[in-house]
Amino acid sequence: MTQPPPPPPQQPPQGGGFGPPQDQPPQDQPPQTPPPAAGPNLGKAPEPGYGYPQAPQAPQTPQAPQTPPSAAPQTPPTPPQGYGYPQGAPAPQPPQAPQGPPGYGYPGQQPGAYGQPQQAPYGQPGYGQPGYGQPGYGQQPGYGYPQQPTMPYQPQAGQPGGGKKLNAQMLIIVAAVVAIALIIGGGVWYASSGKDEGRQNDTAGQSGGTGGTDDDNGGTTSGKEKAPSDPSAKVLFQVPAPEVKNDSTVVVSGSWLTDKAYVKSGIAQIVGYDRDKGSELWKLPLSGPVCQASRHITDDNLTAILYQPAMPTKADPSHGCSQIALIDLDAGKKLWTKTVKTGDQLITFDNITLSGKTVAVGSTSGGAAFDVSGKLLWSPKPTDSCYDAGYGGGDKLVAVRKCGSYDQRQLHIQTIDPKSGKVISEYKMTEGIEYASIVSTNPLVVAADVGDSAGDGSGISDFFSIDSKTGKLRTRISAPGEQFAARCEGITRVEACNLLAVGNDRLYLPTEEHDGTGKYSQTNEIVAFDLATGKQTGQRADAGDGYTISPLRMDGGNLIAYKRPPYDKGGQVVSIAGGSFKETLLLQNPATDSVRDVETSMSPEYSEFLYAEGHLYMSKVYASKRSTVREKEYLAVGFGTS
């Protein structure tokens, strides 16, 4: 499922990089070789195969932090040929409009589940799209055979995540590897040996039990979500898709859940709905479309968004995502709007998050932060040669700070004081890793596609478990793209990860789909990795024949997961005990065709899912004009048990 590498940022920072102060002491650095992990190819980099880049760069032992170079990053050159491109083969041509769904993060494209836009979506800052993943997963031949080195795989045009065609030589080699794997392997490989309790779209929920009992497998077995006497659910309400007056696509990212309301972004507005009836409680108009929305909310139900200062037009399709706003989700009010300038120019921001009482925004022009009172805490500094590309929020505030030129980039993962911006700890990633995503801030987990080796557009080849107090690497977890299905964008939105969760000092990942026991059925599992050792714990939650299971969030020490249904059943929400991994059914959706059509029009890959107290809400992150007459589309749908 290899796709072209992501394009470089729109432009280098003007007048040097920016970010919070750098007055931190040097930190001890991790060893060169990451500790091994259990399972196939999980403790080391992928073995070289056909088209593997020559002399891949090994992790270097970083030195004590040096004074950043005074020169600002230069205009990035044309990216090199993608990982897995055969040496000496003709250079790839510029990608054409894909015949099928584009790869994850493909510039200016909307996930194939609900239509392809013809141009960059309104509210989209450049090439980074606020989508939530990769078009559907297909089975990888020879799935999971632990002895075989994985081959870079390039899909033909029209396949999900593709855009390049296999040449004859590659087809022969891939076919040979597939045949060997099928003959020798045959089976399916699997593991061998909180405070965000549903009130927000926190896909990587923080750990934190609710006073439960630990069992022999570790983890707290209790959470707030309890199984109802009858898990059968019904459709509570449906919010029609908003009308788009031209052929463009508009970002409608952002959904939140409070004790009183389900809140969803629309076109240049945010609306609060009754949790059970779907009736409109309040409406907050905005001057332009929402660009990005924080998934976190404060204890008193405040959250933050980025939006445009005006509605786009054909003459001016984007006004820039310069407006930072704090929203009261209970009252339906905008408490304040702020902007940040570099010189006389408004900064266009790429991402926004919330940690405690700090709203933080990042971009290629640097980062800024405000207290919930509206007080400016820090902003870009012209003297800085590095810049904060983005932040991860929640329990702690973590910056992804970029230093160096495009071809000599180094990322600094910094845990910072949310009130002052002072660096508490820092971990320097290996030079050459261009993008990283914050999966969780407590415990601190970072995802990256090292050497563009994921091969599936997921943005993940490895996870880095970091001690946020010391900045030392705890362990590195290899997660080959052909085996695991988690997704991170990481290009502009450093916190945009889904299909995974973190809790109990463990990382929970879904495997890719593979053959089930039934005829033509597909299925997958969720497995757990220990964030201290990097090894799999041996825990496994099976989706069941025809179902695909995806982590949604943590519930104390338990994991909440969604099961996407087969053609003749409804979806499910289950709670998985953190220790025993025993599944408890929390919600079962209807299996009628009309309900299934609505449910399966959205999926965890590209939509926003929220679950709490017997209520499941699904919503889209784009709205577009329908090019043909077809069944009615919805912005959001709510399900609930009686």
Side-chain angles (χ1 to χ4, degrees), residues 194-488:
K195 71 180 183 180
D196 300 318
E197 304 298 342
R199 302 192 320 131
Q200 61 207 45
N201 183 24
D202 207 349
T203 56
Q206 311 300 331
S207 61
T210 54
T213 303
D214 291 341
D215 61 20
D216 293 338
N217 290 319
T220 306
T221 58
S222 70
K224 292 183 179 180
E225 303 295 349
K226 304 301 180 183
S229 57
D230 181 4
S232 299
K234 63 179 181 180
V235 177
L236 299 176
F237 62 86
Q238 296 166 326
V239 179
E243 180 182 358
V244 179
K245 297 181 179 180
N246 52 45
D247 293 332
S248 297
T249 297
V250 184
V251 173
V252 289
S253 176
S255 60
W256 305 268
L257 195 58
T258 73
D259 296 336
K260 300 178 181 179
Y262 168 68
V263 184
K264 175 61 187 167
S265 295
I267 297 179
Q269 65 179 13
I270 299 176
V271 182
Y273 301 93
D274 183 278
R275 286 174 43 141
D276 294 306
K277 301 176 182 177
S279 53
E280 190 175 297
L281 300 177
W282 51 262
K283 181 184 294 184
L284 174 61
L286 300 170
S287 58
V290 172
C291 302
Q292 304 293 339
S294 172
R295 64 181 53 176
H296 306 288
I297 61 177
T298 65
D299 292 337
D300 52 351
N301 292 334
L302 306 181
T303 195
I305 63 169
L306 282 171
Y307 68 99
Q308 294 190 41
M311 288 299 295
T313 63
K314 288 185 177 181
D316 194 355
S318 177
H319 297 280
C321 301
S322 59
Q323 310 296 299
I324 309 162
L326 186 71
I327 308 297
D328 186 330
L329 297 173
D330 285 335
K333 294 182 179 180
K334 183 171 60 175
L335 301 183
W336 49 254
T337 298
K338 303 291 182 179
T339 59
V340 182
K341 290 185 176 181
T342 174
D344 295 331
Q345 299 294 319
L346 285 177
I347 295 178
T348 296
F349 290 100
D350 299 323
N351 52 76
I352 187 166
T353 195
L354 188 63
S355 178
K357 295 188 176 184
T358 297
V359 176
V361 287
S363 73
T364 55
S365 295
F370 295 85
D371 185 84
V372 292
S373 66
K375 176 185 176 182
L376 178 66
L377 299 177
W378 67 80
S379 61
K381 299 176 178 59
T383 57
D384 286 345
S385 57
C386 302
Y387 66 94
D388 288 358
Y391 301 92
D395 285 356
K396 297 184 178 182
L397 187 61
V398 177
V400 176
R401 188 166 176 83
K402 293 192 175 186
C403 297
S405 59
Y406 179 78
D407 57 347
Q408 292 182 321
R409 183 79 72 206
Q410 186 171 46
L411 303 183
H412 299 196
I413 309 301
Q414 299 177 334
T415 298
I416 59 180
D417 183 337
K419 295 181 179 180
S420 66
K422 181 179 179 180
V423 175
I424 298 172
S425 68
E426 178 180 74
Y427 170 72
K428 291 183 179 181
M429 303 194 74
T430 302
E431 187 175 302
I433 298 176
E434 179 66 19
Y435 306 107
S437 298
I438 304 298
V439 176
S440 169
T441 60
N442 184 31
L444 178 53
V445 180
V446 174
D449 187 357
V450 180
D452 296 328
S453 59
D456 62 349
S458 66
I460 304 171
S461 67
D462 296 84
F463 292 93
F464 299 79
S465 175
I466 302 168
D467 187 324
S468 62
K469 294 181 180 180
T470 65
K472 293 182 179 180
L473 181 69
R474 300 175 65 196
T475 190
R476 175 174 168 178
I477 300 170
S478 178
E482 73 276 7
Q483 294 178 9
F484 300 101
R487 298 287 185 260
C488 288

Side-chain angles (χ1 to χ4, degrees), residues 495-557:
E495 206 175 26
C497 294
N498 68 328
L499 307 183
L500 78 175
V502 172
N504 303 318
D505 205 34
R506 293 173 183 174
L507 170 66
Y508 299 101
L509 296 179
T511 65
E512 286 282 4
E513 289 185 18
H514 54 81
D515 285 340
T517 58
K519 189 175 182 180
Y520 305 123
S521 71
Q522 295 280 292
T523 189
N524 77 325
E525 303 80 31
I526 291 176
V527 296
F529 289 85
D530 190 307
L531 290 175
T533 67
K535 296 181 179 180
Q536 291 191 41
T537 64
Q539 297 164 307
R540 183 186 74 164
D542 296 312
D545 256 357
Y547 288 92
T548 303
I549 191 169
S550 304
L552 293 181
R553 64 173 177 87
M554 297 304 297
D555 171 35

Side-chain angles (χ1 to χ4, degrees), residues 86-170:
Q87 299 298 319
Q93 298 301 313
Q96 305 298 317
Q99 300 174 17
Y104 178 81
Y106 193 87
Q109 298 292 339
Q110 174 186 0
Y114 36 89
Q116 303 292 339
Q118 301 305 312
Q119 64 184 49
Y122 286 168
Q124 174 180 335
Y127 55 85
Q129 68 179 36
Y132 277 74
Q134 168 88 354
Y137 312 132
Q139 178 192 1
Q140 295 301 308
Y143 169 83
Y145 184 64
Q147 309 302 323
Q148 294 293 114
T150 57
M151 300 292 291
Y153 174 67
Q154 296 179 339
Q156 297 182 5
Q159 293 179 335
K164 296 182 180 179
K165 294 184 178 180
L166 290 169
N167 58 33
Q169 186 178 5
M170 178 65 83

Side-chain angles (χ1 to χ4, degrees), residues 31-34 45 52 54-62 429-433 450 476:
Q32 294 185 11
T33 304
Y52 194 88
Q54 300 300 310
Q57 182 179 8
Q60 301 176 0
T61 303
M429 303 194 74
T430 302
E431 187 175 302
I433 298 176
V450 180
R476 175 174 168 178

